[in-house]
Amino acid sequence: MQLYQNQHLKVYNSLSGKKEAFKPINEGHIGMYVCGPTVYSNVHLGNCRTFMSFDMIFRYFKHLGYKVRYVRNITDAGHLVDDAEDGEDKIAKKARLEQLEPMEVVQRYTVDFHTILQKFNFLPPSIEPTATGHIIEQIEIIKDIFEKGFAYEANGSVYFDVAKFNKTHEYGKLSGRKLEDMIANTRELAAQDEKKNPQDFALWKKAEPQHIMRWPSPWGDGFPGWHLECTAMSTKYLGETFDIHGGGMDLKFPHHECEIAQAEASNGHSPVNYWLHANMLTMNGKKMAKSTGNNILPGEIFTGDNKILSKAFSPSVVRFFMMQAHYTSILDLSNDALLASEKGYFRLMDALDTLKGIDTGKTSDFKVADWRQECYDAMNDDFNTPILIAKLFDAVKHINLIKEGKEQLTAADKETLEATLHAFIYDVLGLEGKTDTGAGTNKLSEVVTLLIELRKDARDNKDFATSDKIRDQLAAIGIQLKDGKEGTTFSVS
RNA sequence: GGCAUCGUGGCCGAGUGGCUAGGCACAGCUCUGCAAAAGCUUGUACAGCGGUUCGAAUCCGCUCGAUGCCUCCA
């Protein structure tokens, strides 16, 4: 018996605009595709939020007992700087500017991406395919779309005929757009356009002679259009129709719209049952942009080497901060917000330590079974992590009351409580313990315990100058002493 | 200009018709040698205007503002 058989999950489907009961195509199995990064620069913090949301979703599915195939691609070709005729590939442009081979650019920023995600304690996806590794599959899809009559060739490039597609299908249904409106609002683009209509998008682009990234095709040397890779890779690894497709809100149009069009044009049916979109991250109320300086790299947060924040914050604190907001809401990052999250996070983790040491009683004042289900209810309601965290703080309060002897808990309830907290905090939210110092922990603990004993002796002798010195000096290096009825404990921050 | 999402107490952020999450900050109290930690108590907030309703933060309309997309972007 798996958990998912008792826990009834609802997800917000961007396609219908409603929360829907989640039912996978094959019971017990989930296919999930998330659009990964274009590796032409350091991973953006907003990017991290999107991937973190889906990491949490992936984790919750696994926790529920689903077997999940999670595919997150790496875009290493085909992503153009703009849509004009002289549009340059983002990777190729960076390579030109930095005088590197394009694959050096790809390698450098793929490594950066993985390094940052690892710090954030992301679970690796099941498959992480690259666009350049699937050129053949992309060409096959283009041929297919061609045969179905929804593509045309122009001067060595191939375009998707949106107007024709729209006659029998609904282009724009995901983003709530109508083709007529788009045509009416199209700005004047460069006149010498190969496209029949400005709404048409590239499936294959002809490579100019100076273009380094190029592959042979039935239409000559070129490279694939950006939207195509996701269709090729999701179809290859998850099938023509799969359960979940995720990505950032900004990809809804045109990227995901085009994916739907490509899939429907080539194989005739809708590729995805549930479209999930994560919302944006702003900073100090404004959008993050390199051009205005309102931008920060994840690594700069961890080291504190930046002009925006007052101190360094650990990846777990940033993760906790992000999990305190719902993934579909815009989240605003600021120094105050991070400081607040850090305190809350420490309080939560301290309670986890406290729970280990509490004595159990004959009865329970805390209805653990009910509380546990409330945690699931929160997550089952479209992955509502803010409510889950509120529930976790309910437990924190009870744990502290039990420690003070004002409430009690049976041994069985203690076990359930501990297991549930661990499951949600570590497995689902993906947070890590704040004192994860490895082998050093035991020796540190012994030293501090010794200091606590010395301080107690000093206090017993009313030598408060000495006792306060011990307490304050420890505090200065981040070790906080906590005097309780049962003696003194400490925590490291 | 068009489309979309949103605007909640000092800050961050849940909540979608009546029962008013949570975190942080602030204040008072308990505990303490003094603190810290912990606990208890206190905050009647929902951009503005109008409408629907017995009743609205929650539904509708307008205004203002923010963010995203419309050209690359998570």
Side-chain angles (χ1 to χ4, degrees):
Chain A
M1 186 86 172
Q2 296 290 349
L3 271 171
Y4 66 75
Q5 288 168 289
N6 300 319
Q7 303 297 342
H8 302 290
L9 178 64
K10 285 185 161 184
V11 301
Y12 181 83
N13 189 348
S14 303
L15 190 58
S16 64
K18 293 191 182 100
K19 268 186 207 168
E20 300 175 1
F22 176 72
K23 194 173 183 308
I25 296 165
N26 300 309
E27 196 194 313
H29 295 259
I30 292 174
M32 176 161 94
Y33 187 93
V34 172
C35 295
T38 301
V39 282
Y40 71 105
S41 65
N42 292 299
V43 64
H44 183 97
L45 189 62
N47 229 158
C48 292
R49 185 194 177 199
T50 297
F51 298 138
M52 194 182 290
S53 297
F54 289 103
D55 182 62
M56 173 274 292
I57 288 169
F58 179 42
R59 284 166 172 276
Y60 188 56
F61 281 146
K62 285 176 66 129
H63 174 72
L64 289 181
Y66 283 110
K67 201 163 181 295
V68 190
R69 183 178 291 170
Y70 173 26
V71 182
R72 188 185 61 210
N73 70 297
I74 298 274
T75 297
D76 56 355
H79 201 159
L80 301 185
V81 174
D82 60 50
D83 201 28
E85 277 315 290
D86 58 348
E88 193 172 8
D89 186 291
K90 282 190 172 187
I91 309 273
K93 181 180 179 184
K94 186 79 172 188
R96 180 170 57 76
L97 292 174
E98 300 197 356
Q99 296 189 309
L100 294 169
E101 173 68 22
M103 279 299 136
E104 283 186 279
V105 173
V106 166
Q107 179 68 16
R108 174 185 292 179
Y109 295 114
T110 301
V111 168
D112 171 74
F113 176 65
H114 286 147
T115 304
I116 295 297
L117 261 52
Q118 200 163 21
K119 285 185 178 163
F120 273 127
N121 197 31
F122 276 60
L123 255 28
S126 322
I127 305 174
E128 197 166 41
T130 60
T132 54
H134 297 75
I135 301 291
I136 293 168
E137 287 85 348
Q138 297 185 66
I139 290 173
E140 288 305 311
I141 291 179
I142 299 173
K143 284 185 191 166
D144 208 10
I145 295 173
F146 233 113
E147 281 171 23
K148 304 284 163 54
F150 294 112
Y152 59 90
E153 188 187 347
N155 189 29
S157 293
V158 182
Y159 295 97
F160 189 95
D161 192 336
V162 172
K164 186 168 181 193
F165 176 78
N166 195 239
K167 283 178 187 163
T168 48
H169 298 75
E170 195 185 345
Y171 183 78
K173 62 183 172 185
L174 178 65
S175 53
R177 287 157 210 255
K178 290 196 171 6
L179 188 59
E180 307 85 75
D181 295 345
M182 284 189 261
I183 292 166
N185 287 302
T186 303
R187 295 180 208 146
E188 287 291 324
L189 285 173
Q192 71 290 15
D193 199 319
E194 302 166 346
K195 295 191 222 169
K196 287 189 193 169
N197 294 296
Q199 286 71 35
D200 295 350
F201 55 89
L203 296 170
W204 188 263
K205 290 284 274 185
K206 177 187 179 179
E208 298 303 326
Q210 72 276 16
H211 210 105
I212 313 171
M213 302 179 82
R214 57 200 299 143
W215 291 267
S217 83
W219 314 280
D221 279 8
F223 54 95
W226 174 45
H227 309 305
L228 195 57
E229 56 171 284
C230 289
T231 300
M233 293 185 272
S234 63
T235 306
K236 176 163 183 174
Y237 298 113
L238 299 172
E240 291 185 354
T241 301
F242 53 96
D243 299 299
I244 290 179
H245 190 130
M249 201 76 98
D250 52 347
L251 293 186
K252 233 181 186 180
F253 187 90
H255 185 59
H256 293 156
E257 207 70 75
C258 295
E259 275 187 57
I260 293 176
Q262 287 164 349
E264 291 187 351
S266 69
N267 59 44
H269 46 252
S270 181
V272 174
N273 285 150
Y274 303 92
W275 283 92
L276 268 50
H277 286 99
N279 216 136
M280 304 291 112
L281 180 73
T282 59
M283 190 158 70
N284 295 319
K286 292 266 160 42
K287 82 164 181 179
M288 294 179 72
K290 284 179 200 164
S291 54
T292 57
N294 197 233
N295 182 57
I296 191 165
L297 293 172
E300 295 172 341
I301 297 179
F302 306 154
T303 60
D305 182 22
N306 64 77
K307 292 192 169 106
I308 291 157
L309 304 173
S310 62
K311 64 186 280 298
F313 293 95
S314 75
S316 268
V317 167
V318 177
R319 188 166 181 122
F320 181 76
F321 162 74
M322 289 186 177
M323 289 294 129
Q324 275 187 300
H326 190 83
Y327 77 97
T328 57
S329 297
I330 293 174
L331 173 62
D332 188 49
L333 181 124
S334 64
N335 195 51
D336 285 351
L338 278 177
L339 284 169
S341 285
E342 184 174 57
K343 285 211 171 190
Y345 169 71
F346 285 166
R347 201 158 84 86
L348 179 65
M349 298 317 256
D350 283 349
L352 225 44
D353 283 342
T354 304
L355 179 61
K356 281 183 208 155
I358 64 164
D359 297 323
T360 53
K362 289 199 173 68
T363 58
S364 286
D365 297 293
F366 180 35
K367 292 181 177 169
V368 176
D370 291 352
W371 165 83
R372 179 172 179 271
Q373 186 54 44
E374 286 169 9
C375 291
Y376 281 102
D377 289 346
M379 287 303 288
N380 292 339
D381 185 15
D382 195 27
F383 315 102
N384 201 323
T385 52
I387 292 198
L388 170 66
I389 289 172
K391 292 296 167 195
L392 297 180
F393 277 105
D394 264 2
V396 168
K397 186 169 172 174
H398 284 288
I399 289 167
N400 287 325
L401 281 167
I402 292 160
K403 187 197 172 197
E404 291 199 356
K406 289 176 181 165
E407 286 191 359
Q408 51 177 343
L409 199 67
T410 64
D413 276 348
K414 180 185 170 182
E415 200 175 309
T416 306
L417 179 58
E418 202 161 9
T420 308
L421 284 171
H422 279 243
F424 281 110
I425 293 173
Y426 297 131
D427 300 345
V428 175
L429 294 176
L431 299 168
E432 295 177 290
K434 65 167 183 162
T435 54
D436 191 15
T437 47
T441 306
N442 287 335
K443 286 190 177 170
L444 176 68
S445 173
E446 283 171 30
V447 171
V448 177
T449 304
L450 175 66
L451 287 168
I452 287 171
E453 280 171 26
L454 291 173
R455 176 165 167 268
K456 185 174 185 304
D457 292 343
R459 291 176 74 195
D460 289 344
N461 295 329
K462 303 226 184 294
D463 179 7
F464 298 123
T466 303
S467 69
D468 287 354
K469 185 176 180 184
I470 294 171
R471 180 221 287 157
D472 297 341
Q473 297 278 9
L474 284 175
I477 59 170
I479 296 170
Q480 187 181 60
L481 300 186
K482 299 171 184 177
D483 295 331
K485 288 208 161 52
E486 313 272 312
T488 303
T489 58
F490 72 97
S491 68
V492 185
S493 60

